[in-house]
Amino acid sequence: MLDQAAGALDEELGDLARRCESDPEGAVEGLGTLLRRSGIGVRLLGGWRVALAGRPNVGKSRLLNAMAGFGRAIVSPMPGTTRDVVTVRTAVDGWPIELSDTAGLRETDDPIEAGGVSMARTKQDGADLVVLVLDRSEPLTVADRALIADSPGALIACNKADLFATWEPEEAWGTVAIVSAERGDGLGDLLRRIAERIVPAPPDRGMAVPFRPAHVRLLGRSLRLLQGGRPRAAARALDRLRRVGC
């Protein structure tokens, strides 16, 4: 964002506007690159959504508190304590995220807890990344394995590393993070892996990055005009984009 405030996007737009007539193919390529970067840019204001999931009492609330740096969620040894979605805004490697602690996933006859489980599944469905938390101090349960099977894109966090481990991560799970929310062991590694998953290819420093929906809309219009053989109109659209404010 500081790079854009210093003129990175404005300079790139001016260059592309000039190239619309002199080098339309190069301008098309440049517009496509900017549009791809906008997938990261528009999140710089709203952030990425990361949800902690898992069965009850695996340490999700304690892990959220450890990641946030303060006691945001209630921690209790009683399963089913978290019944609503608890969120906190923080940053991971400088990337803004909304971190959510959701109700433990299990079958229940308690209508309030069942409502929490339903909200948890909705929150996880809308997340950019799900961190599936497992309790390494207890044998894996059928419910754990069902959650692993149902969450193929999740990052698995093996929690309670401060206690005796009853199992080892399986190769089929891919890269996992081994952490102790109680002591903070492995927390830096978990945060690094989250950053790598939400922004696998961050733009280099100084690059132009569109960060507003209006940027994306006008860049798309410029690209369509250029591809339709209207370079002057494309250049005018880019000039209009510069006036929107970068």
Side-chain angles (χ1 to χ4, degrees):
M1 290 298 292
L2 288 173
D3 287 336
Q4 311 322 305
L9 181 55
D10 186 68
E11 291 176 10
E12 181 73 11
L13 293 173
D15 179 64
L16 288 172
R18 290 187 292 271
R19 293 167 61 190
C20 281
E21 292 189 77
S22 62
D23 181 18
E25 290 186 4
V28 166
E29 182 178 352
L31 287 169
T33 298
L34 280 182
L35 284 168
R36 287 190 293 273
R37 288 183 198 155
S38 69
I40 293 175
V42 294
R43 295 300 186 90
L44 295 176
L45 301 180
W48 285 261
R49 297 177 299 274
V50 178
L52 302 181
R55 62 180 175 83
N57 225 31
V58 295
K60 298 186 299 297
S61 297
R62 194 178 297 276
L63 185 57
L64 177 134
N65 291 342
M67 295 168 70
F70 66 97
R72 174 65 179 89
I74 296 173
V75 175
S76 168
M78 181 181 297
T81 299
T82 302
R83 300 194 173 197
D84 202 351
V85 175
V86 178
T87 63
V88 61
R89 289 192 174 274
T90 184
V92 175
D93 274 7
W95 305 109
I97 67 168
E98 179 193 77
L99 185 63
S100 301
D101 174 25
T102 60
L105 301 175
R106 65 173 176 177
E107 297 297 326
T108 177
D109 294 327
D110 184 329
I112 298 178
E113 186 179 359
V117 171
S118 177
M119 287 191 294
R121 295 190 185 279
T122 299
K123 194 71 175 180
Q124 291 158 27
D125 288 342
D128 299 295
L129 175 65
V130 173
V131 177
L132 180 59
V133 184
L134 304 176
D135 183 350
R136 204 176 177 210
S137 70
E138 296 181 355
L140 283 174
T141 67
V142 172
D144 287 325
R145 293 195 176 277
L147 290 172
I148 293 169
D150 291 342
S151 310
L155 171 61
I156 295 180
C158 308
N159 193 26
K160 304 190 182 181
D162 52 302
L163 304 177
F164 178 77
T166 62
W167 49 266
E168 294 295 327
E170 298 179 9
E171 187 176 347
W173 299 350
T175 303
V176 304
I178 297 177
V179 300
S180 167
E182 175 70 26
R183 293 194 315 208
D185 300 352
L187 192 60
D189 180 60
L190 173 61
L191 295 173
R192 178 178 60 82
R193 295 189 186 282
I194 289 174
E196 290 174 348
R197 292 289 296 273
I198 61 175
V199 190
D204 293 334
R205 176 168 291 185
M207 282 188 172
V209 179
F211 57 91
R212 293 180 177 175
H215 296 161
V216 179
R217 184 174 63 254
L218 290 172
L219 283 170
R221 174 175 170 77
S222 299
L223 181 59
R224 291 190 297 273
L225 288 169
L226 200 54
Q227 291 173 328
R230 301 176 62 189
R232 289 186 180 180
R236 287 196 297 271
L238 289 173
D239 287 335
R240 179 185 174 193
L241 176 51
R242 297 178 72 187
R243 293 194 296 272
V244 166
C246 301

